[in-house]
Amino acid sequence: MYQWRKFEFFEEKLGGGKCKIPEEISGKIECASSGRGKLVIGCDDGTVSLLDRGLNFNFGFQAHSSSAFFLQMLKQRNFLVSIGEDEQISPQQSGMCLKVFDLDKMQPEGSSTTSPDCIGILRIFTNQFPQAKITSFLVLEEAPPILLIAIGLDNGCIYCIKGDIARERITRFKLQVDSSSGEGNSSVTGLGFRLDGQALLLFAVTPNSVSLFSMQNQPPRRQLLDQIGCNVNSVAMSDRSELIIGRPEAVYFYEVDGRGPCWAFEGEKKFLGWYRGYLLCVIADQRNGKNTFNIYDLKNRLIAHSLVVKEVSHMLCEWGNIILIMTDKSALCIGEKDMESKLDMLFKKNLYTVAINLVQTQQADASATAEVLRKYGDHLYSKQDYDEAMAQYINTIGHLEPSYVIQKFLDAQRIYNLTNYLENLHEKGLASKDHTTLLLNCYTKLKDVEKLNVFIKSEDGVGEHKFDVETAIRVCRAANYHEHAMYVAKKAGRHEWYLKILLEDLGRYDEALQYISSLEPSQAGVTVKEYGKILVEHKPAETINILMRLCTEDIELAKRVTSNGGYLSMLPSPVDFLNIFIHHPQSLMDFLEKYADKVKDSPAQVEIHNTLLELYLSIDLNFPSISQVNNGTDFNIKARTVSNGKLAVDGKNSSIEKDTLERREKGLRLLKSAWPADLEHPLYDVDLAIILCEMNAFKEGLLYLYEKMKLFKEVIACYMQVHDHEGLIACCKRLGDSGKGGDPTLWADLLKYFGELGEDCSKEVKEVLTYIERDDILPPIIVLQTLSRNPCLTLSVIKDFIARKLEQESKLIEEDRRAIEKYQEDTMAMRKEIQDLRTNARIFQLSKCTACTFTLDLPAVHFMCMHSFHQRCLGDNEKECPECAPEYRSVMEMKRSLEQNSKDQDQFFQQVKSSKDGFSVIAEYFGKGVISKTSNGSTGTARSDSVSSSSGF
């Protein structure tokens, strides 16, 4: 023990630590206690004095009439318990009393003294509890106001008092510690309570034994722990409720099961105490007769303070200080220095290990501990003890900035230390991306594959990596540790990185395809979009198979689930993958053809057909918007149209020509199959299809689209461009028949074309005139004007046509003349009859009623139509003839209908447009008097009258 280091971790307080007990305390100090910010001193004259923090006299009072022997301040309540001697009531009864004072309740003002209220007085000795010398005293607050008081006697007994003393509700019982008859060897020198869970235990010490009582047993059971003991004032309790006794040879600790550790501090232990984990001892040195006060730090095995003192009478702890009261009424206050001062002291002596142990045992915060470790590490680093320095730096992880350590070990010779630090940094999950990069670079420079494997592959579960995954992959990849990078990528679910390494670094395309196939459909779709270009370039067939599985997976189930294709929209669309085929149109065509054959009702059907048309109609199998040279070879393919309208391909490779023709056949089939007769619009973009056909000179497709869109004029324009006369006439025969929904005006356009041709086309013109004459499409004058522009045509071409038309016109004129004469005669007869009705009287000679055929008698009604009726037969209708009224009404209804139709302009123009002779329709409207009248009020009256008079009846 003499080898323990001594330090000055404590310092003397209150004016150098030495001060006097106030003069107000005049008697001899018999007892002392502390608690709740007070120091309580009892004297042999029965007075009790209270001192403040500066050991200044606060107040005093007469607690006992004779002497105060024991004091104890309670912790839970501001109570003071004292044992002292008072006046004897009778010679047979002892004057030893126990009193309880409430320090919060002082006696009323006006009293002669200032003293607290005494709430309970109890005689200690009774007939059942005979008198003996009191050697020890201890109070335990169980559950206020219940107190448990243990009083040790010199006869080896312990008197126990339990209950509420203020209300005198108490129970007494006695414990027998030692029954030996030797004088002074059986006195109870020390007591100590211990709460062990719900169990209450009481330690009892005599000069030759240590006992333990289990207070929950009735009666309490005694257990002998040791057969050695100690004297008075050499007993204490640690903060862990361990019993401590001091003997000349050592200091012993006791648990409930017996003796524990002992510390061989030689010398007589006059006083023993415990303060914040420190053992306090006042030891008498027999050699020089001096007393030494030592403060032991048992955990760190050092003496925190050592001081030679005078004769000590009492040792107390309060206000964070240790207070020693001497027999000469002087006092010594010792307080602990702050942690910073203690550490500075140790740093100056380079005692870093002591400093580390100190901060750890005193439960300093982690940052303070890390700072001590840092300084220790710096000290070792300066001594070039790099391994031990790194050991200290590792313990600072989480508090010390890693860059502070890393920059010290960047030298290549210290790479092992740096690797160790970075490994621990990752182990604690505090590494950044840069730290991961640095650690992996260390592994690769050291070529330590085993550690690299441990670092990469020792993690459990996806997502529980203690490093940045992307950084690890990037560094391993750069160092050509591709397998490690792939392992990390696969375990972390970074499929894009895994495939990037497989494809770009290793070229293992089959393995990449197999990996993609094992992924979830959504993840597989994302990876194919990103790396599909490389896969299509090297493994086109296999890539297409994967795409087909992605885009058509569970297609049959989808059809069963819904009939409207709603489920299909959840699957990836082929359109999403078009960009990966940007340099491989042949593969794209194969993929889209397979998809179109399998899926007939895809939501992306229009886009798919558009793309296929673009591929089918392209001359060199390229997208029109992409200028692509395949492997640097120019196929020199040129499209040209010949007289028969067919497309020819000039090129060195006949297989290319054959492939082009086959694709165009596919294109034409697609144009037809994707526009069923029952659909108004096709399953592709018509405008785009027309543009593609025109750009690639695909006449067959262009003609089909024009016909489907009923753009017949554009159809014949295609034939006109190539001067295909036979095709023109055949097309007009097919499309110019109005009976089959054709456009007869095509013949007029065809005639105009031949009229402007500038070459002899008599045969064709005669055939065209045949159909114009048959359908009466153009009048002869228009035909003459049209054909007169062609100088190569003679009059003989249209002579027969003109003759027939003139003969036909003459017949029509004669028929019209006869009809005019008939209408004129009828008109004259009507006008004559009207005039006769206006000017001449009518003679009615009918003798019978037209309605009932009985003889006509008065009253009778005669109508101008020469019908006569009984008035009773007409009833209320006397204004019109019942016989002629239906005919009249039908005529008026027809007139109103014609007038109403004259207001329907759409119907009028539709009749004019659909009629072969529009002029006849207009003439018919005029003839019926439908459009001769004007209902617009802005027309002049004179004009209205003239029109009305000319309109007839």
Side-chain angles (χ1 to χ4, degrees), residues 1-19:
M1 291 299 178
Y2 291 104
Q3 297 177 357
W4 281 21
R5 293 176 179 268
K6 292 184 179 181
F7 298 94
E8 295 299 325
F9 290 163
F10 286 77
E11 60 184 353
E12 298 175 358
K13 305 286 186 178
L14 298 179
K18 297 178 181 180
C19 56

Side-chain angles (χ1 to χ4, degrees), residues 135-153:
T135 54
S136 58
F137 167 68
L138 188 62
V139 180
L140 174 68
E141 296 177 271
E142 284 193 341
I146 305 301
L147 300 179
L148 177 57
I149 302 172
I151 301 172
L153 305 175

Side-chain angles (χ1 to χ4, degrees), residues 599-655:
V599 182
K600 302 298 183 182
D601 51 355
S602 171
Q605 204 166 21
V606 174
E607 291 83 353
I608 294 172
H609 289 164
N610 290 341
T611 307
L612 280 174
L613 285 175
E614 193 171 356
L615 292 168
Y616 287 152
L617 304 184
S618 175
I619 296 175
D620 54 354
L621 195 57
N622 278 330
F623 299 105
S625 58
I626 301 173
S627 178
Q628 169 67 20
V629 178
N630 292 325
N631 298 326
T633 303
D634 184 7
F635 293 119
N636 191 25
I637 300 176
K638 297 181 181 179
R640 59 183 176 83
T641 53
V642 293
S643 59
N644 60 357
K646 298 293 183 181
L647 181 70
V649 179
D650 296 332
K652 298 179 182 180
N653 194 341
S654 60
S655 63

Side-chain angles (χ1 to χ4, degrees), residues 70-137:
F70 295 94
L71 292 174
Q72 182 171 340
M73 282 291 300
L74 301 186
K75 295 180 179 180
Q76 298 184 33
R77 293 177 293 174
N78 195 16
F79 285 4
L80 174 65
V81 182
S82 69
I83 293 179
E85 187 173 0
D86 286 293
E87 295 180 356
Q88 290 183 339
I89 300 177
S90 64
Q92 293 81 14
Q93 191 172 9
S94 173
M96 197 67 68
C97 294
L98 183 145
K99 295 184 178 181
V100 180
F101 298 94
D102 187 352
L103 300 182
D104 290 332
K105 296 181 180 179
M106 307 302 290
Q107 289 188 356
E109 295 183 4
S111 312
S112 58
T113 60
T114 302
S115 62
D117 189 8
C118 180
I119 62 174
I121 301 176
L122 187 66
R123 296 287 178 176
I124 297 177
F125 301 115
T126 64
N127 294 330
Q128 289 81 14
F129 296 90
Q131 182 176 356
K133 182 180 178 181
I134 300 175
T135 54
S136 58
F137 167 68

Side-chain angles (χ1 to χ4, degrees), residues 437-509:
T437 303
L438 187 57
L439 178 58
L440 292 174
N441 284 331
C442 290
Y443 286 148
T444 55
K445 288 185 181 296
L446 293 172
K447 299 187 182 302
D448 193 343
V449 179
E450 183 178 352
K451 277 195 172 183
L452 183 60
N453 288 336
V454 172
F455 180 75
I456 293 295
K457 300 181 180 181
S458 63
E459 303 297 332
D460 296 328
V462 178
E464 295 183 4
H465 297 280
K466 295 179 181 178
F467 53 83
D468 183 74
V469 172
E470 188 171 342
T471 302
I473 296 172
R474 188 176 62 251
V475 175
C476 290
R477 186 184 178 200
N480 293 327
Y481 285 90
H482 297 114
E483 294 298 330
H484 294 80
M486 288 168 56
Y487 178 87
V488 175
K490 186 174 183 179
K491 194 168 185 180
R494 298 293 184 89
H495 311 297
E496 68 280 2
W497 278 103
Y498 188 86
L499 291 172
K500 184 187 288 288
I501 298 169
L502 276 177
L503 297 174
E504 297 179 3
D505 298 338
L506 304 178
R508 286 146 58 173
Y509 307 108

Side-chain angles (χ1 to χ4, degrees), residues 42-54:
C43 299
D44 59 355
D45 57 1
T47 59
V48 173
S49 302
L50 281 76
L51 308 182
D52 60 12
R53 189 184 185 103

Side-chain angles (χ1 to χ4, degrees), residues 136-182:
S136 58
F137 167 68
L138 188 62
V139 180
L140 174 68
E141 296 177 271
E142 284 193 341
I146 305 301
L147 300 179
L148 177 57
I149 302 172
I151 301 172
L153 305 175
D154 62 352
N155 58 7
C157 292
I158 301 175
Y159 289 172
C160 295
I161 303 171
K162 183 177 181 180
D164 185 356
I165 297 177
R167 297 183 180 182
E168 296 183 356
R169 296 177 180 177
I170 61 173
T171 59
R172 296 171 181 254
F173 57 92
K174 180 172 62 173
L175 303 177
Q176 186 66 44
V177 179
D178 194 353
S179 60
S180 62
S181 60

